[in-house]
Amino acid sequence: MRFLPDAEQRAFARSLDAMLGAADTPGVIRDWSRGERAGGLALWSRIAEAGVFALAVPEAYGGLGPRPVDLAVAFVELGRHAVPGPLAETVAVAALLLDPGPAERFLPALAAGEAMATLAPEGSYAVDGDAATIRLTSAADGLRLAPGHGPVRASLDPARRLTRLAAGGELLVPDPPMDDALRWARLATAAQALGVGLALLERTVAYVGQRVQFGVPVGSFQAVKHRLADAKIALEFARPLVLGAAMTMSPADVAAAKVSACEAAYTTARTALQLHGAIGYTAEYDLSLWLTKARALRTAWGTPDECRAEVLRGRA
């Protein structure tokens, strides 16, 4: 099994990295957190023009896929730049709406970036329910199109705005493939988390190379090197698991990728915070945008314990 992207996928990742790097994503994230969505929606459209959302949509409905490996490569870059919005949720919804009626009605707009979607069990909070144009609830009798949403509540990651979706609404799919949606959402979340961890590591390495104590850069201290090396090893261990899971899309492999990537990102976040010192806590400092996302992604679409249980079921 090949665990490295090919030349075309690496070029795709570089083009996304360049586009997002020029987009001032920290400013977009802060605006999104305040409910000011113009910049975020423009960025969403540019990501769609690059073909990212089309990778989760079948060709019959205006997409390019489903192509999970390419999607994982793209989501690493989205995580690296902490792109806001219901990214994994949109991918999950694309996997849910494959019946001909809902697919023809909703998927072309998702692939083109003209719509964004969110999803939650009935009565639970959904990510960015105030921004999504397609809001779905998983109810006892099937998948419903929520007629609205409640007020925005405080969230661990301010860029992931939580709202409770309204109950009822149109019944779209009586027996939706929730397991498929969970696999796609977990894969997208794992890839995002890997990108978040890589960004945290890059920023921390740069910081300890500039900060000086006792006349030398902090990064020259052996204890600092060890912490950074541990983070690097965890992230590089998670990378092939994410790409391997994208190839097999088995529930156990995807769960293993999710727990490995999210734990690696969380470990890197703790290291980044410790090595930055008090400035790492401040909301004005960009590092906080990645720190909060690493923590939020860790439990999104399955806690570490739930993912480990899925791995054990798959190996039984």
Side-chain angles (χ1 to χ4, degrees):
M1 182 179 293
R2 181 182 175 84
F3 290 108
L4 292 174
D6 60 25
E8 184 176 351
Q9 290 163 340
R10 291 196 296 274
F12 181 42
R14 286 196 298 272
S15 68
L16 285 174
D17 182 36
M19 180 190 76
L20 296 170
D24 182 28
T25 53
V28 173
I29 296 165
R30 290 191 169 90
D31 287 347
W32 189 271
S33 302
R34 293 190 293 266
E36 300 168 8
R37 294 194 285 268
L41 294 177
L43 184 60
W44 189 275
S45 295
R46 293 170 65 185
I47 293 169
E49 288 172 4
V52 172
F53 301 119
L55 296 171
V57 175
E59 292 184 19
Y61 303 111
L64 301 169
R67 296 168 63 175
V69 176
D70 294 336
L71 188 84
V73 169
F75 267 64
V76 170
E77 300 308 316
L78 301 187
R80 189 192 297 272
H81 293 275
V83 172
L87 296 164
E89 290 71 22
T90 294
V91 168
V93 166
L96 279 175
L97 298 178
L98 294 181
D99 286 356
E104 293 172 0
R105 182 177 167 188
F106 294 109
L107 292 189
L110 285 182
E114 297 166 354
M116 60 175 62
T118 193
L119 167 72
E122 190 173 50
S124 298
Y125 287 95
V127 174
D128 293 311
D130 59 330
T133 51
I134 302 173
R135 308 179 189 94
L136 301 183
T137 57
S138 174
D141 58 350
L143 192 67
R144 288 186 173 274
L145 186 63
H149 64 85
V152 176
R153 305 299 297 268
S155 172
L156 177 66
D157 177 5
R160 292 167 57 87
R161 294 163 59 85
L162 299 179
T163 60
R164 195 189 298 275
L165 301 184
E170 178 185 353
L171 180 62
L172 293 177
V173 184
D175 187 20
M178 296 305 299
D179 289 345
D180 291 344
L182 181 62
R183 283 188 298 123
W184 280 88
R186 282 181 173 175
L187 177 68
T189 303
Q192 264 187 285
L194 178 58
V196 168
L198 292 171
L200 284 166
L201 182 61
E202 291 164 4
R203 286 171 175 269
T204 306
V205 169
Y207 180 76
V208 299
Q210 297 173 349
R211 184 184 172 195
V212 174
Q213 283 187 341
F214 309 112
V216 297
V218 172
S220 65
F221 299 154
Q222 196 70 17
V224 172
K225 292 180 180 178
H226 285 167
R227 293 296 303 268
L228 293 172
D230 288 344
K232 175 71 171 174
I233 290 169
L235 291 168
E236 291 305 324
F237 181 76
R239 189 195 302 268
L241 291 181
V242 172
L243 295 176
M247 294 181 71
T248 68
M249 287 301 285
S250 79
D253 288 349
V254 172
K258 164 76 167 56
V259 71
S260 297
C262 289
E263 292 300 84
Y266 188 56
T267 297
T268 307
R270 292 169 62 90
T271 296
L273 183 57
Q274 182 175 20
L275 298 185
H276 275 79
I279 193 173
Y281 283 104
T282 58
E284 293 78 9
Y285 194 58
D286 287 349
L287 186 78
S288 65
L289 305 176
W290 280 263
L291 290 175
T292 52
K293 193 166 292 296
R295 179 64 184 86
L297 292 179
R298 186 172 183 243
T299 52
W301 295 99
T303 66
D305 284 349
E306 290 169 343
C307 289
R308 290 188 180 99
E310 182 67 56
V311 174
L312 292 176
R313 282 194 295 272
R315 300 294 184 264

